[in-house]
Amino acid sequence: MDIVLIAGMWLDASAWDEVLPELERLGHRGIPVALPGQGDGDTTATYDDQVAAVLAAVDAADRPLVVGHSAACTLAWTAADQRPDAITGVALIGGFPSTEGDAYADFFEPVDGLMAFPGWEPFEGPDSDDMSAELKASVAAGAHAVPVGVTRGVVHWTDTRRHDVPLTLVCPEFSPEQAREWIGSGDVPELGAATALELVDLDSGHWPMWTQPAALAALLDGAARR
């Protein structure tokens, strides 16, 4: 199966390099998305540009599973919203779709119109405990500051058919039980409305594409075969 892969904030398509051969071994074709504003030097890129890049990848694939990591879970969910009949399902890794009307990823104060990677201090604990110092240094060195046109873009949902798209939530630094609590309390309305939601556990931190690529690929294989 075709599997469209969308990396989270500050990352480019190379974030999936260790996952791709694992997916291929399981019989899938991984398709990493090059997001405008994350690695191409385009400081004018917008959230809508990133959505367009995701939809272009979906349109060029054959009924793919669409995978989003972290903030890009919102981008993956746009495929369910705008291409509900053209995809097999969506898998979200360590994140949730934004709520209608919210900013996409306005997490940290920008400088000169760019939101840079803030260093590892905000991610101390379960997010990064499974990462070595060398891996952290490598990821930070490759991180890209993201334009505010992306981070402060406003999210809108348009098609209620998205709620019926098969959805898998991969729970890395948090547990399925925690996710159920957040969903049940109304904190994640998009997942609360999902009619075909499956939660799966992954013993890793927030960046399993580097720390658990084989285990992550196996979970994506399971999502693709639902």
Side-chain angles (χ1 to χ4, degrees):
M1 177 178 291
D2 286 348
I3 299 181
V4 171
L5 301 162
I6 315 163
M9 195 57 49
W10 307 296
L11 307 180
D12 58 38
S14 68
W16 302 104
D17 282 356
E18 295 182 40
V19 178
L20 292 174
E22 299 294 340
L23 290 176
E24 184 177 3
R25 183 177 61 81
L26 294 167
H28 304 293
R29 180 173 73 123
I31 305 171
V33 178
L35 293 173
Q38 290 181 215
D40 60 357
D42 184 359
T43 60
T44 66
T46 67
Y47 167 73
D48 289 340
D49 292 335
Q50 293 201 347
V51 171
V54 169
L55 296 179
V58 168
D59 291 342
D62 181 15
R63 290 192 56 79
L65 174 73
V66 183
V67 179
H69 166 254
S70 192
C73 289
T74 296
L75 293 174
W77 199 231
T78 65
D81 183 57
Q82 299 193 37
R83 300 291 191 273
D85 298 323
I87 64 176
T88 293
V90 171
L92 310 178
I93 304 167
F96 312 97
S98 296
T99 301
E100 165 67 27
D102 283 356
Y104 167 53
D106 191 17
F107 301 142
F108 301 98
E109 192 63 27
V111 175
D112 296 331
L114 299 170
M115 188 181 76
F117 178 67
W120 291 106
E121 185 175 353
F123 306 109
E124 290 181 353
D127 280 353
S128 63
D129 280 347
D130 63 339
M131 301 177 74
S132 67
E134 292 78 13
L135 177 57
K136 287 181 178 180
S138 175
V139 172
H144 307 284
V146 182
V148 293
V150 172
T151 63
R152 293 182 173 176
V154 178
V155 174
H156 293 296
W157 305 116
T158 63
D159 192 333
T160 57
R161 289 181 297 164
R162 69 187 182 278
H163 298 311
D164 298 323
V165 171
L167 175 59
T168 301
L169 176 63
V170 178
C171 304
E173 75 273 18
F174 54 84
S175 69
E177 290 73 23
Q178 288 174 303
R180 289 188 187 97
E181 290 179 7
W182 299 329
I183 294 167
S185 66
D187 291 340
V188 194
E190 284 302 309
L191 296 196
T195 65
L197 173 63
E198 181 177 23
L199 279 63
V200 295
D201 197 15
L202 178 60
D203 185 16
S204 79
H206 188 65
W207 290 272
M209 62 272 286
W210 285 298
T211 62
Q212 294 281 352
L216 176 59
L219 292 181
L220 298 181
D221 174 63
R225 298 180 189 278
R226 282 182 62 186

